[in-house]
Amino acid sequence: MIFFIQQLLNGITLGSIYALIALGYTMVYGIILLINFAHGEILMVGAYVGFFAISSLHLNFFTALILSMFAAAVLGVAIERIAYRPLRNSTRLAALITAIGMSLLLQNGGLVVLGTDFKAFPQTMVKETYWILGGRVPVTNQQILILAVTIVMMVGLQYVVKRTKIGKAMRAVSYDKEAAKLMGINVDTTISATFAIGSALAAVAGILLAMYYQTVHPLMGLMPGLKAFVAAVLGGIGIIPGAMTGGFLLGTVEAMVSGYWDSQWKDAIAFGILIIILVVKPSGLLGKDTTEKV
C-alpha cells in the first residue's frame, strides 16, 4: 500500500505536467480544430528561456517562469500568424501537415542553435524530502512546487475562460465563428489570445519538466508533447476539464507501469491507450459522442 501511494504521488506529479501541456492542445483544437504538433517545441523554447534566465541572468525561479511564459506566448502568436492563419480556410490536412512541419523546423532549429548536448538545468532550490503517513512515504519540495504551480495555473485558466471578456470571446468563437463575428467579436484576436495562453502554459510545463528531470535538450518537447496529445484525446480533446483529467490519468498510469512492471513499457502503454480510446470512445472520457473523429 505504501508503494502504491508513492507511485500515485509520482504519477500525479508527472500528470500535472502532462495536463498543462494538454491544455494548450485542447484550447487550440477547441477553437480552430487544429492539432498543434509544434506545441511540444514551444515547451522546449520555454524551458530554454527559463534555463538562460536562471543561469545567465541569475533570476529567481518565479521571475524566470514569468519571462518564459511571455516568450512562449509571443512565439505561439507568431506561429499562428505566420504558419496557421494563412491556412485557416484550407483543408484540415494542410493545416495538420503544416503543424508537423513547424514542429520539425523548431526541433532542428533548436539543434542547430542550441547544440545537441544535454544541459543541466540550474536548481533554484535545495531539494528537501518530507515524510508523510507516519514517516513512510517521501514527498519532495519539488513535487509540491510542481503540483502547486499546476493548480494555480489551472485555476487561473478557469477564471480567464469563465469570467473574463476574452474568455467569453474564446467560448463564443469555439462554438460558432461566424455568429461570433456578427456579434462584434474579433475572431483573429481571440484565436491569437488562445495561442498565447496555451503557449504560456506550455512554457510553465517546460520549466517544471526541466526542473523535475534536471536537464534541457532541444528535443525535450517531443515525447512529452505526444504524451500530452494522448492525454488530451483521453480526456476529450477540446474540453478543458478533459485535458486536466487525461493528464493526471496518463501520468498515474505511467507511474504504475514503471513501478509495478517495467519502465520500458510506459511509452507503449501510453500510445496503446490512445489507440483504445480512439476505437472505443473517440470523443474521450468527458466528451460527447459525435460523428467526427480526432
Side-chain angles (χ1 to χ4, degrees), residues 4-247:
F4 174 81
I5 296 174
Q6 179 59 56
Q7 290 305 114
L8 184 63
L9 289 174
N10 292 337
I12 291 173
T13 304
L14 186 59
S16 301
I17 299 173
Y18 287 158
L20 284 176
I21 311 171
L23 283 171
Y25 271 116
T26 210
M27 288 175 67
V28 169
Y29 183 84
I31 202 162
I32 59 172
L33 300 179
L34 169 69
I35 299 171
N36 181 20
F37 279 113
H39 198 61
E41 282 58 57
I42 295 174
L43 174 154
M44 176 271 292
V45 172
Y48 266 96
V49 171
F51 169 78
F52 288 115
I54 295 173
S55 61
S56 300
L57 302 179
H58 305 292
L59 300 179
N60 61 45
F61 175 81
F62 291 103
T63 307
L65 188 70
I66 293 171
L67 181 62
S68 176
M69 291 173 68
F70 176 76
V74 172
L75 176 62
V77 171
I79 290 174
E80 190 273 328
R81 292 289 298 271
I82 295 170
Y84 299 150
R85 185 174 297 184
L87 298 173
R88 195 173 295 168
N89 296 320
S90 302
T91 63
R92 292 175 62 183
L93 180 60
L96 183 65
I97 293 173
T98 302
I100 295 173
M102 181 57 67
S103 172
L104 294 173
L105 174 65
L106 291 174
Q107 286 177 23
N108 289 280
L111 289 171
V112 171
V113 174
L114 302 169
T116 58
D117 295 333
F118 286 86
K119 292 182 174 62
F121 191 79
Q123 298 303 296
T124 56
M125 63 176 66
V126 178
K127 188 174 182 179
E128 296 183 7
T129 302
Y130 308 102
W131 294 87
I132 61 175
L133 298 179
R136 292 180 293 177
V137 177
V139 180
T140 68
N141 55 347
Q142 287 185 349
Q143 288 178 301
I144 296 172
L145 177 64
I146 289 172
L147 186 58
V149 170
T150 300
I151 291 173
V152 169
M153 291 297 159
M154 288 179 174
V155 172
L157 178 63
Q158 285 292 331
Y159 178 81
V160 169
V161 172
K162 300 290 185 183
R163 302 291 183 182
T164 65
K165 187 176 179 180
I166 189 65
K168 293 176 182 176
M170 288 163 58
R171 284 187 286 149
V173 172
S174 68
Y175 187 75
D176 191 326
K177 289 185 184 60
E178 295 303 319
K181 191 181 295 183
L182 292 174
M183 295 299 292
I185 295 174
N186 190 322
V187 174
D188 289 339
T189 301
T190 305
I191 293 174
S192 294
T194 304
F195 270 85
I197 295 171
S199 300
L201 292 175
V204 176
I207 287 190
L208 295 179
L209 195 68
M211 183 184 71
Y212 190 62
Y213 290 115
Q214 302 181 7
T215 185
V216 289
H217 187 268
L219 300 183
M220 64 177 289
L222 177 60
M223 190 53 71
L226 292 176
K227 296 285 187 65
F229 171 66
V230 174
V233 175
L234 175 62
I237 195 162
I239 306 170
I240 289 177
M244 299 178 189
T245 304

Side-chain angles (χ1 to χ4, degrees), residues 253-264:
V253 168
E254 281 199 8
M256 293 300 172
V257 170
S258 299
Y260 286 98
W261 194 8
D262 189 335
S263 61
Q264 293 182 347

